[in-house]
Amino acid sequence: MEEYIGAEALLEILNVNGVEHVFFNPGGDICPVQAAVCRYRVANKPSPRLILCLHESVALAAAIGHYMVSGKPQLVMVHSELGAQQLGGQVHNAQWGRTPVVIMAGLAAAPSRVNWKNEPYDQGMMFRNHVKWDVLIGPKDDFHEIIQHAFDVAMAEPRGPVFITYQRETFNKKMARSAIRRPTIMNPAFPKADPRQLEIIADMMINASNPLIVAGSTGRYPENIPALVDLAETLAVPVLSGLTRMNIPTHHSLCAGIEHMGGSRGTNTALNEADVVLAIDYDMPYVPAPGAPGTATKILHIDFDPMTQGRPLWGRGADIFVKADSREAIPSLTGIIRRKIDADKQTVIKHRAVLLADAHARQRTTYRELALSRSAAKPISPDWLSYCLAQVIDEDTIIVNHLISHAASPTEQIHRNRPFTLLACAGGNIGFAVGAALGAKIAAPAQLVVSLLTDGGFYWGCPVSALWSSRAYQAPFLYVIFNNQSYGAIRAIVEELSESKISDELGFESGVDIDPPVDSSLIARSCGGWGKIVTEPADVLPSLQEGIKQVKSGNASIVDIRLPKGI
């Protein structure tokens, strides 16, 4: 009987599942896997590429970014409980972002170890609230089946992370070489949308005065984008796109914009005005902005996940929920609507289409005029910065956006029209954009990746780790820091609670200001990249142009734009 060790079995399983990279931070329990990859490389045998990350949170953020571009399952490996704890809030981001990532960590517990309740130590407990499944691989368990099952669970809709703990000797243990079974879709008989429910939804949408579609993560499947456009055009219904994906081209006349989030300028007024809202693959943002359907508004919801990650839609859930695959449900609904539209309704639809196209054109003009009116403002306006960004990127540029206080500006100024060219964080950990840019670039090496982030998110995201990996693996990207030298969203809350504006002196004492700011350009240069701090509005455009030039020359770059403090 032919044998191999567990580390080699893992590589074979990863190959079968299409895992291209292993994002990891090393420890003794991972060394056998590193050694197995070396042996495979020397023997010209296929295996995933190891991507060393100097901090674990960057490894998981990179896996999230890679998945959002590639659509492929991910593996993150960290050292025992210490490395698992270092993953921190990125686990939350993976859960809310429905990321199919298998996280593996060696077991750090002696058999007699207990917690303060005198219960046996349970390493999986760290993540149990944030994963779809967790397991400890024991000495008598079927290693092949457990690892394959983990990927099956992660990739089953609604997708999400799983956590595996293994004993240190697992990867050195000899086992019988086994034929690796193909990945299994966990819900092969997952029901299509109930046609009777779609009939009801179709009637409600047709008879609505102000219908609205809210699309969350539909764009994770590129075929959904033209299908969603077709549905919107059939009824002349505006589409409010969620934050995390490019769901409908923003240049389209039926795009009602990209959803605002808490702390950013603006209200989701389209929600306030709608009498029927069709939410597709939609989760509430971690920090929702003002604006919600009225109490009389009917909410219709099509999704795999009835729990919407545990957050009811706008605090009250849906009037009709259809558990279905949007890839099937959207065109089915469109077909039903087409059959039901009569001549009178077609006249109404054509009139509404004209009004919405006019409103869209006026809205985009207003955004542009706003930015241009602030082209000389000091400190630099986030609207001017975002306008300049729109001038220097192309249609294929991948924007990784995790702004908070200034989230509205880039969504208003920058068009995104192609699949996978807008990636944003579904969860609440603000360090997302630092590592996600690395993963996105590794997944799409030919495309420009521009990461928009806050100064707080930049510090929190472990930039030295990401920049080091960027240089080591020839995966350059551009960080554009919207730097208000403050935790702007927190400042607003503290000011509201204290019923007063916070002065510069009190800003530091109250713990809301990041002042004096860090010289991020030096961080870039210390990691072999290029960086510049920009304080003059006239320097914004040429600095961004130079940053992109540096990226195209192979150097990760940082353009740190100093915005109004605290705003």
Side-chain angles (χ1 to χ4, degrees), residues 397-445:
T397 299
I398 297 172
I399 297 291
V400 181
N401 181 15
H402 199 191
L403 299 175
I404 302 173
S405 298
H406 304 113
S409 295
T411 63
E412 292 171 352
Q413 300 295 334
I414 301 173
H415 278 297
R416 291 292 82 195
N417 299 316
R418 296 189 179 179
F420 310 131
T421 58
L422 174 63
L423 318 177
C425 183
N429 183 286
I430 67 172
F432 163 82
V434 173
L438 171 67
K441 182 63 179 180
I442 290 173

Side-chain angles (χ1 to χ4, degrees), residues 3 36 45 70 86 120 217 266 322 429 450:
E3 291 184 326
K45 296 173 66 176
S70 69
Q86 289 285 80
S217 59
V322 180
N429 183 286
V450 178

Side-chain angles (χ1 to χ4, degrees), residues 73 79 203 207 222 239 243 250 267 294 315 341 350 366 368 385 429 454 466 508:
H79 172 59
D203 287 335
N207 294 315
V239 178
L243 295 163
T250 53
T267 299
I341 295 174
K350 288 181 179 179
T366 300
R368 183 174 183 274
L385 165 55
N429 183 286
T454 64
F508 179 75

Side-chain angles (χ1 to χ4, degrees), residues 6-239:
E8 294 167 335
L10 177 66
L11 297 187
E12 298 293 344
I13 296 170
L14 297 181
N15 288 336
V16 167
N17 283 274
V19 177
E20 298 175 336
H21 302 90
V22 176
F23 297 95
F24 80 108
N25 184 266
D29 43 359
I30 304 172
C31 289
V33 177
Q34 295 172 258
V37 169
C38 291
R39 289 195 299 272
Y40 271 50
R41 293 290 183 181
V42 170
N44 290 319
K45 296 173 66 176
S47 74
R49 188 184 187 195
L50 293 172
I51 304 294
L52 173 62
C53 300
L54 305 187
H55 194 283
E56 291 86 348
S57 67
V58 168
L60 184 48
I64 298 171
H66 193 291
Y67 165 69
M68 294 185 79
V69 173
S70 69
K72 296 181 178 180
Q74 305 293 314
L75 177 67
V76 170
M77 301 191 73
V78 294
H79 172 59
S80 68
E81 64 179 331
L82 301 176
Q85 289 170 339
Q86 289 285 80
L87 292 171
Q90 297 296 350
V91 180
H92 181 275
N93 290 344
Q95 178 194 31
W96 282 56
R98 306 190 188 194
T99 306
V101 55
V102 174
I103 302 168
M104 298 189 70
L107 181 64
S112 59
R113 187 175 177 184
V114 296
N115 64 20
W116 67 273
K117 288 186 175 182
N118 206 36
E119 299 167 338
Y121 174 82
D122 184 354
Q123 193 161 300
M125 184 65 74
M126 287 190 289
F127 292 155
R128 198 154 292 151
N129 287 330
H130 299 284
V131 298
K132 293 180 66 178
W133 182 64
D134 72 272
V135 66
L136 167 63
I137 300 178
K140 296 182 179 180
D141 290 327
D142 185 333
F143 179 85
H144 298 87
E145 181 55 33
I146 287 179
I147 301 297
Q148 185 56 62
H149 182 72
F151 281 101
D152 290 343
V153 171
M155 287 293 285
E157 292 281 6
R159 293 175 175 177
V162 302
F163 181 55
I164 296 177
T165 307
Y166 59 90
Q167 294 177 330
R168 182 176 288 259
E169 61 270 19
T170 298
F171 287 135
N172 283 319
K173 179 182 176 182
K174 288 186 177 181
M175 57 186 69
R177 182 176 290 274
S178 174
I180 311 300
R181 71 169 175 83
R182 305 301 300 178
T184 301
I185 299 175
M186 295 298 293
N187 38 15
F190 202 91
K192 295 181 179 180
D194 184 335
R196 294 168 299 179
Q197 289 183 304
L198 291 185
E199 292 274 350
I200 296 171
I201 289 175
D203 287 335
M204 295 176 72
M205 294 291 287
I206 290 169
N207 294 315
S209 298
N210 293 298
L212 174 70
I213 297 171
V214 181
S217 59
T218 54
R220 72 193 188 280
Y221 295 120
E223 60 267 38
N224 270 347
I225 296 171
L228 183 61
V229 169
D230 190 28
L231 172 60
E233 290 177 343
T234 300
L235 264 180
V237 180
V239 178

Side-chain angles (χ1 to χ4, degrees), residues 428-509:
N429 183 286
I430 67 172
F432 163 82
V434 173
L438 171 67
K441 182 63 179 180
I442 290 173
Q447 290 175 253
L448 174 66
V449 175
V450 178
S451 185
L452 315 182
L453 60 164
T454 64
D455 49 327
F458 176 74
Y459 305 139
W460 198 343
C462 304
V464 169
S465 172
L467 289 166
W468 181 88
S469 297
S470 168
R471 185 183 188 186
Y473 298 103
Q474 295 84 52
F477 44 74
L478 172 63
Y479 288 145
V480 180
I481 304 176
F482 284 58
N483 194 336
N484 63 358
Q485 304 103 68
S486 177
Y487 290 107
I490 301 302
R491 172 187 277 266
I493 297 171
V494 173
E495 287 183 339
E496 181 181 356
L497 293 174
S498 64
E499 300 180 346
S500 63
K501 287 287 184 181
I502 297 175
S503 65
D504 284 349
E505 294 78 13
L506 193 57
F508 179 75
E509 293 295 331

